[in-house]
Amino acid sequence: MANVAVIGAQWGDEGKGKIVDWLAARADHVVRFQGGHNAGHTLVVGNQTYKLSLLPSGIVRGTPSYIGNGVVLDPWALRDEIGRLGEQGVSVTPETLEIAETCPLILPIHRDLDALREDASGEGKIGTTRRGIGPAYEDKAGRRAIRVCDLAHLDDLGPQLDRLCAHHDALRAGFGEAPVDRARLLADLGEIADFVLAFAAPVWKSLNEARARGDRILFEGAQGVLLDVDHGTYPFVTSSNTIAGTAAGGSGLGPGAVGFVLGIVKAYTTRVGAGPFPTELDDAVGQRLGERGNEFGTVTGRKRRCGWFDAVLVRQSVAVSGVTGVALTKLDVLDGFDELRICTGYRLGDTEYDHLPPHPRDQAAVEPVYESIEGWSESTAGARSWAELPAPAIKYVRRIEELIGCPVALVSTSPERDDTILVRDPFAD
């Protein structure tokens, strides 16, 4: 049985939460391997809706879950999220959740810096969630981060705080802000330490032992490939690598452990925040997609920009992330359209592209080349087999497969976990 890595193959918000939750029933372990609480996953189980940001989606099922070393962890956001789940009847304990001892922490000073920078950026705003993700990753790379294991040694934190505050004090001064209140920061860390340390563990060791037993591991990514700091629409990206290759380094397993790579792809395209979007629709069609798809961010509540399916971008994501098969979500949102359009290429002046050029100016200027395909009037909502889909819907799915060069493994036809058509079992490969 293969392990499976689940990643978003667009700009995030593709419906990873439901797919991971659905796969978690077949997995023995679920691990988050990058990102922070800027990522939102929504799970709909019966009449209950669960909104997760930091916790792996498997936690709702009680599947042993892990936050890997590649994640940046806001301990206060974690406590709040665990508390909200508890109110919904989901108990999160050290028996169901382990947090890597080497996870860097997101601190209040990271949130402060994120907001200060965004407010001062003018037209250069990136559209961050202001949750401190980027500054926390910067401190990790700069070797001044405070990590989960440091919470057990707060009395020895002086030298690390010196490095951290020297950096942040200089930045804060540039914005006219007071230096870091070290006493307050230490008090805040002391207040949250015991809560976090109860979940701290050598996640790399737990996962390697699980692999040695032949257990099935589900790797859960956040955001999407097009937000990858190397392969995305830079600078309108997140601060971590979101491609499947990160699953190994962000969890403490070797690359051979990743196995099947499942790319989650929405049946159309959406994006939150600033940045290029070649197939964006600022018209009634875009409005209709947004309303029918309930396109509002799980974390921020921001309205998502909507457009036709962009096969060029997904084909690029499939290539750079080694996607084995895709899960196509929200097919039911397209019900009732007489005609659908798929972007098959770009045109920039007299030049045609079969990929997105790297420079932001060119990315913003490309014109999509479309092909039209017949829509369908019948409902696909709740379909659980190919036989329940209208012929034009199947044709649409098959055409997407051809254009992205990757087979469809799953089709999701509603937010409900069981409204899923299984074409190819990722865990059976």
Side-chain angles (χ1 to χ4, degrees), residues 116-282:
L116 288 168
R117 284 173 169 169
E118 193 74 354
D119 289 340
S121 292
E123 293 184 2
K125 280 186 172 63
I126 293 174
T128 78
T129 58
R130 298 170 178 254
R131 299 192 169 212
I133 310 299
Y137 272 117
E138 289 175 34
D139 282 345
K140 175 184 178 178
R143 294 164 295 181
R144 53 183 170 265
I146 295 174
R147 304 183 298 170
V148 167
C149 58
D150 293 321
L151 295 174
H153 300 276
L154 291 179
D155 291 342
D156 299 323
L157 206 56
Q160 196 71 357
L161 276 178
D162 289 342
R163 290 172 51 78
L164 184 70
C165 292
H167 177 77
H168 280 266
D169 285 349
L171 293 173
R172 292 168 69 93
F175 289 108
E177 295 292 317
V180 175
D181 185 338
R182 290 179 58 148
R184 172 66 183 274
L185 179 56
L186 270 172
D188 288 343
L189 290 171
E191 180 270 334
I192 199 71
D194 288 344
F195 177 83
V196 177
L197 288 171
F199 299 97
V203 164
W204 66 270
K205 186 171 183 290
S206 299
L207 292 175
N208 273 278
E209 290 172 351
R211 186 187 179 199
R213 291 193 300 268
D215 292 355
R216 290 165 294 192
I217 301 170
L218 186 60
F219 300 90
E220 179 180 3
Q223 291 94 28
V225 173
L226 299 177
L227 293 174
D228 185 278
V229 70
D230 288 312
H231 299 285
T233 49
Y234 191 93
F236 302 99
V237 294
T238 193
S239 299
S240 61
N241 287 111
T242 59
I243 59 172
T246 313
S251 60
L253 286 164
V258 174
F260 192 104
V261 178
L262 184 68
I264 314 301
V265 177
K266 201 174 285 186
Y268 49 102
T269 309
T270 63
R271 179 166 199 169
V272 171
F277 187 169
T279 66
E280 184 173 11
L281 297 170
D282 293 315

Side-chain angles (χ1 to χ4, degrees), residues 348-380:
L348 184 59
D350 295 328
T351 305
E352 293 191 356
Y353 286 88
D354 63 357
H355 64 282
L356 190 66
H359 196 277
R361 183 176 177 179
D362 293 338
Q363 291 177 349
V366 295
E367 297 180 6
V369 177
Y370 287 115
E371 72 172 46
S372 297
I373 189 166
E374 178 189 1
W376 55 89
S377 58
E378 303 95 325
S379 173
T380 63

